[in-house]
Amino acid sequence: MCHTVAVTRARWTTETVPLPPHALAWLTQRVGLGEPFSEVSVSAPPSTLSADAFTALEAVCAVSADDEDRLGRAGGLSYLDLLRRRGHGEPAVPDAVVTPGSPDEVVEVLKVCVEHDVAVVPFGGGTSVVGGVEALRGSKAAVVALDVSGLASLVSVDPVSRVAVLQAGLTGPEAEKLLEEHGFTLGHVPQSFERATIGGFAATRSAGQASSGYGRFEDMVESVRVATPVGEWVAGTAPASAAGPDLKQLVLGSEGVFGVITEVSVRVRPRPYGPRYEGFVVDGWEAGVALVRTLAQDGVLADITRLSDADETEVALEMAGEKAALLRKYLRFRRVSQPCLVILGWECRSRSATMSSLSGHKVVRLGRSMGASWLHGRFNGPRQRDALLDAGVCVETLETAAHWSRVSEVRSAVRAALVAELGNPVVMCHVSHAYETGASLYFTVLVPRDLEDPVGQWGRAKAVASEVVSSLGTITHHHAVGVDHAPWLEREIGSVGVSVLRAVKQRVDPTGILNPGKLI
Amino acid sequence: MCHTVAVTRARWTTETVPLPPHALAWLTQRVGLGEPFSEVSVSAPPSTLSADAFTALEAVCAVSADDEDRLGRAGGLSYLDLLRRRGHGEPAVPDAVVTPGSPDEVVEVLKVCVEHDVAVVPFGGGTSVVGGVEALRGSKAAVVALDVSGLASLVSVDPVSRVAVLQAGLTGPEAEKLLEEHGFTLGHVPQSFERATIGGFAATRSAGQASSGYGRFEDMVESVRVATPVGEWVAGTAPASAAGPDLKQLVLGSEGVFGVITEVSVRVRPRPYGPRYEGFVVDGWEAGVALVRTLAQDGVLADITRLSDADETEVALEMAGEKAALLRKYLRFRRVSQPCLVILGWECRSRSATMSSLSGHKVVRLGRSMGASWLHGRFNGPRQRDALLDAGVCVETLETAAHWSRVSEVRSAVRAALVAELGNPVVMCHVSHAYETGASLYFTVLVPRDLEDPVGQWGRAKAVASEVVSSLGTITHHHAVGVDHAPWLEREIGSVGVSVLRAVKQRVDPTGILNPGKLI
C-alpha cells in the first residue's frame, strides 16, 4: 500500500479548436452554414445563499460566491449548454461553489446543506452532455456546486491484487499519471477523458473507447465510497460476492442524486506494451455489423472497435484532406462500393486472435496510418463544437445500445426520424462499443442552426430520436440521464423501477438536497 | 423468435450416494466416525392457512396442503437442514404449497397473499445451504411455499443476439436441454446444477464451476421479470446502459425478499466443441495461488480453474483408490513435496493461451484422466453428505472471496479458527473461482458429530469462521445470505446499505409478505 499522493488540478476552462479550411469548405457545401455567432457574455444573477449558510460552509472548507467561479459551474457541454452561453436560454448558475478537500469534508458540507436546506450539485469535469450538472435548485431557495477538485489523491495501490483507490476529483489524465508511477493504467478513455473525473465516470456509468478490452467503468469498480446526508456509504468489498444485491451498482449511475462519490476503488492493469491501432474498410453497413458481431461473439474483439456507417465514413474521408482522393481510388480498385470505416485498436487483447477471425470476412486493410489518425483526433469532437456553433451549425450527438437483431433497425429509424424533423441534416452513425449480445450506436447530427428558435429546433429533434431509441433499445448507453433523458426513463425501467429509485432517494436524502431535477 | 416450449419437471426428491469402502476406511482413520444415525420421520404441524386464503389461492392456481408436499418444501440442504430431518431442531414447514403456472399467476398469488396477510417463500430446487428457503412466517399467521416448478418454459430465443428468455422454474438440466435444441448453452454449472433453478441462480447470484469462461450467473443476465406485491417489475433492457443505476443488479441476489423472479433473459453461447479437462499439480499452496493469479491477470484463465490446498489434495489422492500410490510415487519422482491439485477445463476459452502462460511455472501435468475424474465426480459433494451424516460425521462447507493480497491470509485464518473451535477437524480448501483482483475460497469441514449438541457444534464453528471471513473478504461468494449469513451482512454492506435494502423492501413489499427472515 502507498501513501496518499496529491496532485493539483487545472481549473475548468473552455478550449476551442478551429476547423481546418477544407472542413469548413465541406461544411459550407454539404450542410450550408447558418448565421455565425460568438459566445456572448452571460452574467450571474445575485447569489441567494444566506449569510448563515455561507458562514457554516466556510467553517468546513473553501467557499466562493464569485461570479466567475459560479459561471464556471453553470452547466455542462451539451448543445443546449453551448446555446445558453450564447444567450439562448438561461443557464442555471449556482449560488456558490464549495470545494471540500477530503471525503469527511464532503460529509460535513452535506450536513450543513441539510441544515440550511440548500441544494447540492456535485461538479467534476463539467462534461455532462445531458444536463447532469445543471445547477437546478428544485424547491430549495439556494443551490451550491460541490466541486470535487479538492479530492485529487491516489489513496492506495495494491499491486498484488491490482486494485487502486482513487479520489473522485481526479481527471482522467491525472489518474493515469498517478497510476503510471506504479506501472498501472485504468484504460478508461472516453471522449471526455481530458476533463472528466473519476467520480463522474462512476456516477454516469461511463464507457471508454477501449471498453471491449478494459470494460465499461462500472466493470472496473471494486467499491465506491459515497457521502450521503445520512452518513457515509461504502458499497462493494470483494472481487465478487453473493451477499445480497450488488449495491455498488445502485451507486454507479446514480448521478449524484443519492450522494456524492468521494473515492472509487478500481481494478487496474499493467500499462500496455506496444498498443496498435489500424484502419480497415468493409463494403456496406450490414457487412460491418456482421463483422463486429462475429468478433464480439467469438470473444476476439479488439480493445477498441469502431464501425462507421457510409455517411460517417464519407465525412472521415473528406476530413482526410489530400489523401481522400487516393483512398477513394484505392477503394474503387478493391471494388468497395459502400465504404464503411472500421477502426480497431489493441492495448491488452490479442491482435492475432482478432485478425484470424477477420480473415473470414471481406475486409480492406488501410494500415496503421489510419489508426494513428483516429488516435490523433480521438478527442477532437467536443473540442470542435464551439467552432461549429460559431460557424452557424447545430451540432449534437446522441447514443443508444440495442441487441444485435435490432441494431440496423435502430440506425435506420433514428436517421429517418431526424431527417423528417430537421430537413436535410448530415446524420453520421458508428458502432462505438460492442458486446456479445448487442452494440451501442453513436449518432452525430449536423444541420444549419434555426435562427429563430435554435433551442426548440434541437429539442424537437432530440424528442423524436429519443422516442425511437427508447422503443428499440436503451435511452442512453453512456451519456447518462441527467435532465435531458429523464422524460424517457420510466419507459425504460418501468413504474416499479422509478418507484424503487425514489424509495432509495428518500432514504438516503430525505430532504431532497442532492442534484434536484436529475435522473428521477 | 421461437414459440413457448414447456417441459415437465421432476419432483424434488432426495438422492443419497453411498460412500465407497476406501473412503469410509479413510474417514474412520482420519476423522473418526461419530454415532451413526438415519433420517427420522418428521411430521408436519397442522396447517394454519385459513380456509378463505386457501380458497382464494385455489382460484388462481394449484394449491396443496398435503403433509408430504409441505415437508418437501421445509428447508434446503444445509447441514442444519439435514440435522433437522434427523430430529435435531424443528424444520419450518409451510402451511401450503402453491404452484402457479405463469408469471401472471404469480402476480395473482402475491395479491391474494397480501390480502390475506400470508407470508410467501419462493421455492425452486430447494438447494439453499444458508436457510434461504426456510418456511419462516415472520409476523404472519401462515406461510406458503411458492413452488416455481410450473414456470418451466423456454419463452424465446434470439439466435442473432444470442439471448434466450427462460422461465424461473427450469432446473439447470432442463434449461440446457431446451437450449440445446437451438444449439446453445448457458454454461452455468454450479454444484447444485442438477436441482437448482434459473430463478434460484438469479436470486442468489450463483457462480458456476466454469465461471471464468461463462461468467457468474449475474454476468449472463440481460433482464429479469419479477412479480412483486406492487405489480410486475422488469429490470434490464439492452446489452449495456447508462440509464441510471443498474436495477437488475438489485434484483439479482435479492433472495425473494423483493419479489418472485418469474423469467430471466440470459446471454447464451454455442455449445462447446470438444471441451477438455486436465489435472496438474503444483508444489505448495503459495505456488498454486501465484499460478492462478497469473492466469487471471494475464487474461488466460481456463473456463474452469480450481486449485486445491495440500489437505484437499491429500483427500483427493486417498479417494483415487488404487491409483493413489502410483500418483504419490510419481510426484515424489518429480520432487513435489507438497502436492496441490489444479483442475483446468476448457469449454470456450483458448487452451493454448493458458498453457503458454503455465509454461513459466513449475507444474506437473497429470493429464486428462484426472480431469475426467473431476468431471465425473463434480456433483458428488452434496450427494454424499447424507451418507456422511449417517456415518456420524459433521460435514459442511463455507466459502468467501477476497483480494489476492489476502487470499492466503483468509485460508490460514479460517483454518485456525475452525481448528480452535472443533478440535481436530479435516479442513480442506480450494480456490473455486478466480478474478483479476482476487479469488473465492471454498472450505469443506469434516469432524465427528457432537452427540449432545450437533446444532450448537456447527453453529459455533460457523460463527468463528464467519467472523474471520467477514473481516477479510465477503461473507459469501456464491452461497447467498439466507438466514445463516444475515448476522454478518451489516458488517459487509454497512448501516446505510442495510437501510437502503429495507427502503426498497418497504416500497415493493409494503406488508412484508415476501420471504421473512431472509437477507435483511
Side-chain angles (χ1 to χ4, degrees), chain A residues 65-378:
Chain A
D66 287 356
D67 284 1
E68 198 187 336
D69 288 332
R70 291 166 56 208
L71 285 169
R73 280 81 175 176
L77 287 176
S78 72
Y79 178 62
L80 296 181
D81 286 317
L82 302 189
L83 284 179
R84 284 186 197 110
R85 295 203 187 97
R86 285 162 177 80
H88 288 275
E90 281 291 316
V93 182
D95 296 301
V97 179
V98 291
T99 311
S102 69
D104 288 343
E105 285 185 9
V106 177
V107 173
E108 291 306 309
V109 164
L110 296 189
K111 274 188 194 158
V112 170
C113 290
V114 167
E115 200 178 324
H116 293 268
D117 207 29
V118 172
V120 178
V121 178
F123 196 95
T127 60
S128 174
V129 290
V130 292
V133 293
E134 271 188 55
L136 303 180
R137 62 194 67 216
S139 60
K140 311 299 178 191
V143 56
V144 296
L146 191 157
D147 190 312
V148 293
S149 61
L151 306 172
S153 299
L154 170 62
V155 179
S156 65
V157 175
D158 171 352
V160 174
S161 312
R162 295 190 179 170
V163 172
V165 179
L166 296 166
Q167 286 197 321
L170 289 166
T171 63
E174 287 164 359
E176 287 298 335
K177 188 162 174 288
L178 289 168
L179 291 172
E180 189 176 2
E181 291 168 19
H182 300 267
F184 290 119
T185 180
L186 198 52
H188 184 74
V189 185
Q191 212 172 28
S192 60
F193 174 76
E194 295 168 295
R195 297 190 196 170
T197 57
I198 295 295
F201 295 150
T204 60
R205 297 188 161 262
S206 170
Q209 290 166 340
S211 72
S212 300
Y214 295 94
R216 293 165 62 85
F217 195 76
E218 65 258 34
D219 302 326
M220 307 174 185
V221 174
E222 298 278 310
S223 68
V224 274
R225 182 176 177 185
V226 192
T228 82
V230 296
E232 277 218 327
W233 181 11
V234 178
T237 42
S241 174
D246 187 354
L247 292 177
K248 75 173 180 285
Q249 298 292 346
L250 197 56
V251 173
L252 298 167
S254 62
E255 302 186 20
V257 307
F258 296 160
V260 181
I261 295 170
T262 55
E263 287 178 359
V264 186
S265 170
V266 286
R267 174 254 286 155
V268 293
R269 290 199 178 148
R271 298 184 67 76
Y273 174 76
R276 180 167 174 158
Y277 311 90
E278 290 183 53
F280 303 83
V281 161
V282 291
D283 197 354
W285 171 256
E286 292 300 339
V289 169
L291 172 75
V292 176
R293 180 165 74 86
T294 304
L295 297 181
Q297 295 185 338
D298 285 356
V300 294
L301 278 171
D303 297 276
I304 290 159
T305 306
R306 188 186 159 103
L307 160 73
S308 294
D309 69 358
D311 295 273
E312 188 167 285
T313 302
E314 179 62 24
V315 176
L317 287 176
E318 282 298 333
M319 296 303 123
E322 291 161 15
K323 282 190 235 156
L326 260 175
L327 265 171
R328 284 210 176 85
K329 197 170 166 190
Y330 177 61
L331 291 171
R332 273 196 303 275
F333 165 69
R334 295 293 303 269
R335 296 171 187 274
V336 175
S337 58
Q338 261 217 317
C340 288
L341 183 62
V342 178
I343 297 291
L344 300 179
W346 296 269
E347 296 185 357
C348 48
R349 311 194 100 199
S350 156
R351 179 172 174 277
S352 63
T354 313
M355 294 305 286
S356 147
S357 181
L358 275 188
S359 67
H361 295 257
K362 190 192 161 190
V363 178
V364 177
R365 290 177 63 172
L366 299 184
R368 297 172 75 158
S369 67
M370 187 57 92
S373 153
W374 171 81
L375 193 71
H376 177 73
R378 72 200 290 191

Side-chain angles (χ1 to χ4, degrees), chain A residues 158-163 204-205 216 218 222 230-234 237-247 249-250 252-255 258 267 269 293 297 401-405 435-439 473-481 489 492-493 496-497 499-504 506-508 519, chain B residues 158-163 204-205 216 218 222 230-234 237-247 249-250 252-255 258 267 269 293 297 401-405 435-439 473-481 489 492-493 496-497 499-504 506-508 519:
Chain A
D158 171 352
V160 174
S161 312
R162 295 190 179 170
V163 172
T204 60
R205 297 188 161 262
R216 293 165 62 85
E218 65 258 34
E222 298 278 310
V230 296
E232 277 218 327
W233 181 11
V234 178
T237 42
S241 174
D246 187 354
L247 292 177
Q249 298 292 346
L250 197 56
L252 298 167
S254 62
E255 302 186 20
F258 296 160
R267 174 254 286 155
R269 290 199 178 148
R293 180 165 74 86
Q297 295 185 338
H403 287 125
W404 286 115
S405 56
Y435 305 90
E436 279 183 72
T437 60
T474 175
I475 186 66
T476 173
H477 168 265
H478 61 269
H479 279 174
V481 177
L489 187 66
E492 179 150 343
I493 69 171
V496 176
S499 162
V500 162
L501 291 181
R502 291 217 172 103
V504 174
Q506 208 165 3
R507 185 64 58 111
V508 296
L519 187 63
Chain B
D158 172 351
V160 174
S161 312
R162 295 191 180 168
V163 172
T204 60
R205 298 186 161 262
R216 294 167 60 87
E218 66 258 32
E222 298 278 310
V230 296
E232 277 217 327
W233 182 13
V234 178
T237 41
S241 173
D246 186 354
L247 291 177
Q249 298 292 346
L250 197 55
L252 298 167
S254 63
E255 302 186 21
F258 296 160
R267 174 251 288 155
R269 291 200 178 148
R293 179 164 74 87
Q297 295 185 338
H403 287 125
W404 286 116
S405 56
Y435 305 89
E436 279 183 72
T437 60
T474 174
I475 187 66
T476 173
H477 168 266
H478 61 270
H479 280 174
V481 177
L489 187 66
E492 180 149 344
I493 69 170
V496 176
S499 162
V500 163
L501 290 180
R502 292 217 172 104
V504 175
Q506 207 166 6
R507 185 63 59 109
V508 296
L519 187 62

Side-chain angles (χ1 to χ4, degrees), chain B residues 351-362:
Chain B
R351 179 172 173 277
S352 63
T354 313
M355 294 305 287
S356 147
S357 180
L358 274 189
S359 68
H361 294 257
K362 190 190 161 192

Side-chain angles (χ1 to χ4, degrees), chain B residues 93-330:
Chain B
V93 182
D95 296 302
V97 178
V98 293
T99 311
S102 69
D104 288 343
E105 285 185 8
V106 177
V107 173
E108 290 307 310
V109 164
L110 296 188
K111 274 188 193 157
V112 171
C113 290
V114 167
E115 200 177 325
H116 294 268
D117 207 28
V118 171
V120 179
V121 178
F123 196 95
T127 59
S128 172
V129 290
V130 293
V133 293
E134 272 188 53
L136 303 180
R137 61 194 65 218
S139 61
K140 310 300 177 192
V143 56
V144 296
L146 191 158
D147 190 313
V148 293
S149 61
L151 306 173
S153 299
L154 171 62
V155 179
S156 66
V157 175
D158 172 351
V160 174
S161 312
R162 295 191 180 168
V163 172
V165 179
L166 297 166
Q167 286 197 320
L170 288 166
T171 64
E174 287 164 0
E176 285 299 334
K177 189 162 174 288
L178 290 167
L179 291 172
E180 189 176 2
E181 290 168 20
H182 300 267
F184 289 119
T185 181
L186 197 51
H188 184 73
V189 185
Q191 213 173 26
S192 60
F193 174 74
E194 295 168 295
R195 298 190 194 170
T197 58
I198 295 296
F201 295 150
T204 60
R205 298 186 161 262
S206 169
Q209 290 166 340
S211 71
S212 300
Y214 295 94
R216 294 167 60 87
F217 195 76
E218 66 258 32
D219 301 326
M220 307 175 184
V221 175
E222 298 278 310
S223 68
V224 275
R225 181 175 177 186
V226 192
T228 82
V230 296
E232 277 217 327
W233 182 13
V234 178
T237 41
S241 173
D246 186 354
L247 291 177
K248 73 172 182 287
Q249 298 292 346
L250 197 55
V251 172
L252 298 167
S254 63
E255 302 186 21
V257 308
F258 296 160
V260 181
I261 295 169
T262 56
E263 287 178 359
V264 186
S265 171
V266 285
R267 174 251 288 155
V268 293
R269 291 200 178 148
R271 298 184 67 75
Y273 173 76
R276 180 167 173 159
Y277 310 91
E278 290 183 53
F280 301 83
V281 161
V282 290
D283 198 355
W285 170 257
E286 292 299 341
V289 170
L291 172 76
V292 176
R293 179 164 74 87
T294 303
L295 297 180
Q297 295 185 338
D298 285 356
V300 293
L301 277 171
D303 298 276
I304 291 159
T305 306
R306 188 186 158 104
L307 161 72
S308 296
D309 69 358
D311 296 271
E312 189 167 283
T313 302
E314 179 62 26
V315 175
L317 287 177
E318 281 299 333
M319 295 304 122
E322 291 161 16
K323 281 190 235 157
L326 260 174
L327 265 171
R328 283 210 177 84
K329 198 169 164 190
Y330 177 62

